Amino acid sequence: MEREDLLKMHSELMGEDVWEFHSLEKGGVKRSLSILLRGRYAGVKYPISDRLAVLATIAAGLLFLLSVGSLAVTFLRSRMDLGIILVVDRAVGDLVLGLLGFIYSAGIFLIDNPAFGAVLGILLLVWLARR
Amino acid sequence: MNKLSAQLVNLYSTITAFIISAKKHVPKFIEGLKEMMGRAKGRVKEALALVLGEAETFMQILDDLEAKWILLGKRVGVAIEKLRMGVKLAKENVLVLIDKLRRIIENSSMLALELLGRGVYLRIKEEMRRILKNPNVVREDAELEATVREAEQLSELLQRSEKLQNEKANMMVE
């Protein structure tokens, strides 16, 4: 490079501020979906852990909606004959039991499934290779 | 520490080492040039004036770089903390910062080679390598310089007091 080019580059580097992605910060859903489906966003490649994190966030949201729904249903079913304290008590008990049962059955199903075991093994191997 | 933030810190400390070593070697170079200019005549003096002008341009560039270095330090700290906390788009910001730091290092070292010449450039690079290997070198050097300065001052004081004593003795004899 010529001296003038170098000096010009220097003044540019000293003048410009670091770009902070302010314009992109609004696109949260777009970014998450892009990371989940394609594994890259804004020219940056994301590892499998980030994709799984997006998936886990979606699963957590769905679980939250389910739990709120079950609470509401329990409340509506038994509003006629019981006091509010008993209703809430029963709803929370049902919710906890339902969640535990769901997790238990999901775990049993996944452990019994050979395809899931294979996927888990491959993921473990990939993780070990990337370390 | 994350891989990305380690890279960021590495690049930032490279810039720091560059600034420190250039601040050490370039003023020495300029002093030497000025001494030579005092002795030289004619065309040689003109050529030396050109070289001196370029060296002083590089000193201005170094001042710019030092001012930017402080701002970049803030940015680097914030980026690493955001990455640690998992803030949205922290990774992209860190990558942009890494790119910027890399460009700054490349450009300023090429400017050093262009404006100061191969000898001073190589000296700066060697000093950089030394500092990056052991960052305590900077502090030790400063301490050594301070002790040398103190010793010089003490020796001057000793000479002065010896002179005064001699004068007193002469006065007594007279």
Side-chain angles (χ1 to χ4, degrees), chain B residues 56-73:
Chain B
E56 277 171 356
T57 313
F58 186 74
M59 278 306 280
Q60 284 180 8
I61 284 168
L62 212 62
D63 288 345
D64 288 355
L65 193 65
E66 203 182 349
K68 194 74 187 174
W69 172 75
I70 295 165
L71 291 175
L72 280 174

Side-chain angles (χ1 to χ4, degrees), chain A residues 30-31 33-46 51:
Chain A
K30 198 179 157 191
R31 175 177 178 268
L33 283 178
S34 177
I35 289 171
L36 179 63
L37 299 175
R38 291 193 304 147
R40 48 173 60 243
Y41 179 69
V44 179
K45 212 173 159 189
Y46 285 84
R51 300 173 80 161

Side-chain angles (χ1 to χ4, degrees), chain B residues 67-103:
Chain B
K68 194 74 187 174
W69 172 75
I70 295 165
L71 291 175
L72 280 174
K74 205 173 108 188
R75 285 258 191 250
V76 166
V78 169
I80 289 172
E81 194 64 15
K82 274 186 176 175
L83 198 69
R84 198 180 64 77
M85 282 158 60
V87 174
K88 206 193 285 175
L89 289 167
K91 205 170 268 182
E92 285 91 336
N93 284 330
V94 167
L95 285 172
V96 167
L97 252 177
I98 283 174
D99 180 50
K100 168 132 186 161
L101 291 178
R102 208 173 268 157
R103 271 195 297 153

